[in-house]
Amino acid sequence: MVVRKDVKDMASGGLSLFRDRGLLNSFRSLDSRPKPAIDDRLLVDLPKSFYPVVADDVGRALSDLASLAAPGDYSAMTDALIDLLGLLKETFSDQTWRDAVLPAARRHPIANLIHECPFTHHSFTRPRGYPGDAGLIDFVYRHPAARPAQEAATDAGRTVMAFTVNVTACEAVRHRRSILAAKIDEAAERRAKPAILSVASGHLREAELSVALKRGRIGRLLAVDQDSESLAVAGAYQDSVSGVIEARQETVRQILAGKTDLGRFDLVYAAGLYDYLDARVAARLTRVLFEHLNAGGRLLIPNFLWGVREEAYMEVFMDWYLLYRTRSEIETFADEIAPAAIRSQRYTDDAAGTIGYLELERA
């Protein structure tokens, strides 16, 4: 059975144009599939009885790629693996991908090679019990805090990390950090001693880049997160960056329920939180956070866009799932806010079209 590819997936910008579809010529599970035109892609949805054939196909393809692993250097293998997994995710239906392709890839010995990478292994093992923790983002930032794990890895594992932290998605996250720091500085330009709220702050690494914080031009920066370990790191910036930084343990559920006394702010932002929230919760949280703004205050919400080349690799070997969205889906975050309360609404995305940013200003 073959089904048409969902419209929102088509927003990926046609990544399959850049993938070598010839890699799938030997897949027996695809022998009878139609050959769609590039602009009319189809997803292959197979009955469960075909899953062993799919698993065998995936295993043989991964064994071919494993031959690219050179002593002490898995770079070529990693590059080819990202492309193959992306092609498989674009080819098979969500169910066939989830129930046949992904488990077959995780069972393959190539997974042990990939998990020599401290970045990939950290994500897959979830040492703090949830995906995308602040320790993982430190790898993306190339922060000194991640250096001990990097130094403890094998030479080959470090080549995987060197490749994966340099992909476009990770570059977009590093750029996001710079944008957040710039927004903090901008808030200090708009008004004296602004109050700022960082929701799901993680380690608050943008504080290291903010000139306004270091020069004492911020009145208050409250970092809230569910993770006490992250808050301990963020709170330590009181001594090294600015004494106005506060760290408080709060959950999104508590914020939504109005059980927190956070105060009013001139800037509120949530760095990577919305990548994990379903649409209804995202809209509710946007309304609640908007209500914490002073008049003229701004709320900044980033979210990953469709088209991340490494999405399939992240799901298989990092157990890391994000909710990718289109511009229109990101803009619907503001749907629960009365239009009259919004002085301005602005959407931008980064140069690579990887992360979209919604900025709302309160009237």
Side-chain angles (χ1 to χ4, degrees), residues 127-141:
R128 299 196 192 177
Y130 61 92
D133 64 60
L136 182 69
I137 304 304
D138 276 349
F139 283 105
V140 178
Y141 289 159

Side-chain angles (χ1 to χ4, degrees), residues 67-84:
S67 66
L68 298 175
D73 189 348
Y74 298 162
S75 300
M77 179 188 73
T78 304
D79 190 14
L81 182 60
I82 288 171
D83 267 349
L84 174 64

Side-chain angles (χ1 to χ4, degrees), residues 256-273:
L256 287 171
K259 295 182 178 179
T260 60
D261 183 19
L262 301 176
R264 294 276 183 169
F265 302 91
D266 302 297
L267 171 67
V268 176
Y269 64 87
L273 175 62

